[in-house]
Amino acid sequence: MKKVLPVVYAVVLYQIFAQSAVFFDEILSSKQITFSQAAYLVFVGNGEYQDTVQQKVALEEALKRKWIKQTGNPDNPITVAQFAYLVMRAFGINGGLMYTLFPGPRYGFRELVYKGLIPRTIDPQAYVDGALALRIIRIAAELKGLDK
Amino acid sequence: MKIKNISLIVILSLSMSLFAWDFGLTVSNTTVYSYIEDWNVSQNNRALLWISLPITSNINLYVSGFYEFAGDFSTASTAYKPYRFDVGKTYFSYKPSLSNSRLTIMLGRLETADFTTSIYSGLYDGFSLNFLTGNSRFDIQLGYLGFLYKNDALILIDDEDAAVFADDNQYFVTPRLLAMVGYKLDDFLRGFDIGFEFWSQFDLNSSGTPTHSLYYEPRFVWHINNYFSLSGFGILSMVINPEIALSYAYGAEFKASIPSFLRSTLTINLFTSGSVTGDFVSYAPIRLLSVSRYAHGIYSDATAISAEFSFAPLATMIFALHGDILLREGTIIPAGYAPNSESQFIGSEYGMQFVWQVVSDFALLMGGGVFVPNTLGAYPSDAPMEWKVLLNFVLNL
């Protein structure tokens, strides 16, 4: 089973990011993904944009929708909590009571830990590496039935 | 009232992260309504603030403390404590990076329990070492019990403990040292886990006669297949005061799971808390343990045979229905028994529980039931039934 899982994992992700294997590989080996890469991943992951969209466009859309706050530099690394909130919004994942009252990275992060998208040992203030980002996107897509 | 092993705090802690900088506030309410010949409401509200702080990649600091309101209300009396502040779990934990095993060393106010929570469950101040390698697990724990609030710790081993418990001017339990060594081997044979634990407490009270006790608890779990399991344990205890006396407890559980039918489970459980028989005396665990769910005052000298059927219409919701038979063990007669009664059948209990994790940060538990005393030869014919209803909810902020 352990050998099968990475294959399934890769197949699902290649389905989502079919046109951009180079980008996919780049993300997978990245130690810290940026705000613009994160915005691109969630918009392509949820199927709102084609994978040919520019990262800049995806980031502007996320900023416009207030899914992320002004970043200063779009190439700044995004934290796990910020990425969790972005995923919650992009995939329309429902949160708990506190998330409903105070939507934001804090409760978005906790929700994704509870739902098993994020390992419990991850620090919410740590930067997201590419493998973790793709794992979160993959499970979010599965939750919403977007991996079919 | 014994509630399901799944505590709501534990359920909700699944949304919290370990080894991560985080903080939160956990607010809980527990209301217990009981009725024997008069009603009584026990109310407890707690707000627990916790902080988790990684110091290095291997060392984490976790600090928690709480405010608590507690009260008991009945037509006869009202007694409440409007506030109490205390320290919850607070510790440094160290988890070095090892290749094929896992070591965890913790220092501070820690939580522990034996395999079956039949010896001790609760907090202690001290140290723990847990080592996992292959399918083996080793545990060592050493600590002090004297800084625990008596109503939480429920350490009632001898008369001096009872006197401390009854004294409103005393906050802490009698000082004691707690020590534990345990070993567990999973898949000793295919699907067959075994383990044992040694527990001991040493009375450090300088006045009066100290009461020390030692416990040996072997246990097995047989995972027969994906649907059935069987487990059993025994406890042999030695109490030194200063004479040496032996006591025992044992239990067994058969569990049948039918995941395809509303994730249902049928559990048949037997638990005996030993009594005065032959060379044995009544079983006295470190933390007070009730054999019954609803009947008051049955702490030892009794056997409970229980059947429980639980099902989960949703993944986050569990209903459980249960019925228990209580039997006398040994020569000790339960409080309220008819004089000279020889009956072994104490009575029966019926009840239900409902656990629902509504959302990730809010869960509730409702439960209740009744003890029906055996009035045909055990209790007097006018012995009342004993009702108990519990409402518990927890919110993580």
Side-chain angles (χ1 to χ4, degrees):
Chain A
M1 189 64 185
K2 281 180 182 172
K3 286 180 182 173
V4 175
L5 275 177
V7 178
V8 174
Y9 176 83
V11 168
V12 170
L13 292 170
Y14 270 112
Q15 281 172 349
I16 296 170
F17 304 100
Q19 305 299 315
S20 48
V22 175
F23 171 75
F24 172 79
D25 290 339
E26 182 192 322
I27 287 289
L28 202 52
S29 58
S30 170
K31 296 284 180 203
Q32 298 174 351
I33 66 159
T34 65
F35 277 93
S36 52
Q37 287 172 327
Y40 172 89
L41 284 172
V42 297
F43 276 118
V44 176
N46 74 358
E48 246 184 273
Y49 285 115
Q50 296 291 318
D51 55 5
T52 49
V53 69
Q54 288 188 344
Q55 291 179 21
K56 185 182 156 195
V57 173
L59 179 63
E60 281 170 0
E61 186 60 29
L63 285 166
K64 197 173 111 188
R65 295 185 192 186
K66 298 185 178 169
W67 292 355
I68 44 182
K69 292 181 180 171
Q70 287 294 335
T71 61
N73 185 346
D75 291 328
N76 281 345
I78 189 168
T79 67
V80 177
Q82 289 166 327
F83 186 68
Y85 181 58
L86 191 57
V87 169
M88 290 283 290
R89 298 303 301 263
F91 287 85
I93 297 171
N94 292 328
L97 205 59
M98 296 308 292
Y99 177 82
T100 308
L101 293 172
F102 307 105
R106 175 178 173 75
Y107 296 111
F109 168 78
R110 284 199 185 177
E111 192 65 33
L112 294 195
V113 170
Y114 167 71
K115 287 188 158 70
L117 278 72
I118 298 176
R120 295 181 71 204
T121 48
I122 298 277
D123 188 336
Q125 299 311 315
Y127 294 125
V128 186
D129 66 43
L132 176 64
L134 290 173
R135 170 200 151 103
I136 295 170
I137 296 280
R138 173 182 62 87
I139 306 175
E142 284 172 0
L143 273 179
K144 290 291 169 182
L146 300 172
D147 56 322
K148 304 287 187 299
Chain B
M1 180 181 193
K2 286 194 283 186
I3 57 170
K4 268 190 117 50
N5 286 337
I6 333 160
S7 111
L8 293 188
I9 299 278
V10 170
I11 290 174
L12 287 183
S13 69
L14 295 177
S15 61
M16 298 173 192
S17 49
L18 295 171
F19 274 74
W21 155 236
D22 203 359
F23 66 95
L25 184 68
T26 302
V27 180
S28 60
N29 172 85
T30 306
T31 307
V32 180
Y33 171 87
S34 55
Y35 186 89
I36 302 179
E37 287 176 314
D38 193 5
W39 62 271
N40 178 277
V41 172
S42 167
Q43 176 66 33
N44 182 293
N45 295 89
R46 190 176 275 198
L48 180 136
L49 183 66
W50 59 271
I51 297 167
S52 176
L53 186 67
I55 294 170
T56 68
S57 60
N58 299 123
I59 299 175
N60 196 67
L61 172 65
Y62 180 90
V63 179
S64 72
F66 60 85
Y67 155 82
E68 182 187 74
F69 168 89
D72 276 299
F73 308 92
S74 69
T75 48
S77 67
T78 292
Y80 64 89
K81 281 195 170 146
Y83 59 87
R84 183 172 79 87
F85 297 93
D86 208 338
V87 179
K89 278 190 295 179
T90 295
Y91 54 80
F92 286 98
S93 58
Y94 170 61
K95 292 187 180 182
S97 303
L98 304 174
S99 53
N100 293 319
S101 51
R102 204 173 77 195
L103 174 68
T104 307
I105 296 171
M106 299 170 90
L107 187 68
R109 172 159 287 193
L110 308 170
E111 196 166 34
T112 186
D114 66 291
F115 283 137
T116 57
T117 65
S118 303
I119 299 173
Y120 183 70
S121 59
L123 299 171
Y124 70 101
D125 297 300
F127 141 93
S128 85
L129 182 150
N130 165 242
F131 183 62
L132 289 162
T133 182
N135 50 357
S136 290
R137 174 189 168 125
F138 302 87
D139 281 289
I140 296 174
Q141 295 169 2
L142 182 67
Y144 180 67
L145 298 174
F147 293 136
L148 302 180
Y149 177 48
K150 62 181 184 183
N151 289 4
D152 281 349
L154 290 178
I155 296 171
L156 290 153
I157 298 170
D158 59 16
D159 292 343
E160 283 164 28
D161 294 321
V164 166
F165 192 76
D167 184 350
D168 289 341
N169 295 320
Q170 298 267 11
Y171 183 87
F172 297 118
V173 290
T174 307
R176 283 190 160 85
L177 191 70
L178 179 78
M180 176 270 196
V181 175
Y183 174 70
K184 185 170 175 279
L185 178 63
D186 291 342
D187 274 329
F188 167 66
L189 298 171
R190 189 178 167 81
F192 199 85
D193 307 339
I194 56 167
F196 65 84
E197 290 179 353
F198 286 103
W199 288 77
S200 55
Q201 65 77 21
F202 301 99
D203 194 343
L204 303 177
N205 197 8
S206 53
S207 62
T209 308
T211 305
H212 313 301
S213 52
L214 307 162
Y215 306 82
Y216 169 58
E217 182 183 20
R219 188 192 184 216
F220 76 89
V221 181
W222 181 23
H223 308 280
I224 301 167
N225 54 36
N226 287 340
Y227 305 103
F228 303 110
S229 69
L230 182 68
S231 60
F233 72 96
I235 297 171
L236 182 64
S237 166
M238 186 164 74
V239 178
I240 305 156
N241 179 24
E243 294 84 21
I244 293 174
L246 298 175
S247 65
Y248 64 88
Y250 58 86
E253 186 174 276
F254 172 75
K255 194 177 273 189
S257 302
I258 314 155
S260 56
F261 179 67
L262 296 175
R263 308 172 188 87
S264 55
T265 303
L266 175 69
T267 307
I268 309 288
N269 185 288
L270 177 143
F271 174 67
T272 291
S273 184
S275 183
V276 180
T277 46
D279 293 332
F280 293 98
V281 297
S282 298
Y283 176 62
I286 299 173
R287 181 188 169 92
L288 189 67
L289 177 70
S290 178
V291 177
S292 57
R293 292 181 209 246
Y294 308 115
H296 78 283
I298 301 179
Y299 300 114
S300 66
D301 314 291
T303 292
I305 301 169
S306 314
E308 180 178 283
F309 177 71
S310 68
F311 61 99
L314 302 173
T316 55
M317 184 185 284
I318 300 172
F319 282 98
L321 303 165
H322 57 80
D324 312 329
I325 292 169
L326 299 174
L327 302 170
R328 262 178 63 194
E329 173 83 5
T331 55
I332 301 291
I333 295 175
Y337 241 49
N340 306 318
S341 171
E342 295 285 324
S343 175
Q344 295 295 306
F345 178 46
I346 298 172
S348 54
E349 298 184 310
Y350 309 93
M352 62 154 292
Q353 277 178 1
F354 167 66
V355 182
W356 184 22
Q357 177 148 21
V358 186
V359 283
S360 59
D361 49 8
F362 180 70
L364 67 88
L365 180 151
M366 286 187 283
V370 61
F371 165 64
V372 182
N374 170 19
T375 53
L376 301 172
Y379 288 91
S381 57
D382 59 348
M385 294 196 285
E386 300 184 18
W387 296 86
K388 202 170 269 187
V389 177
L390 176 142
L391 169 68
N392 178 213
F393 59 80
V394 180
L395 174 66
N396 259 340
L397 304 177

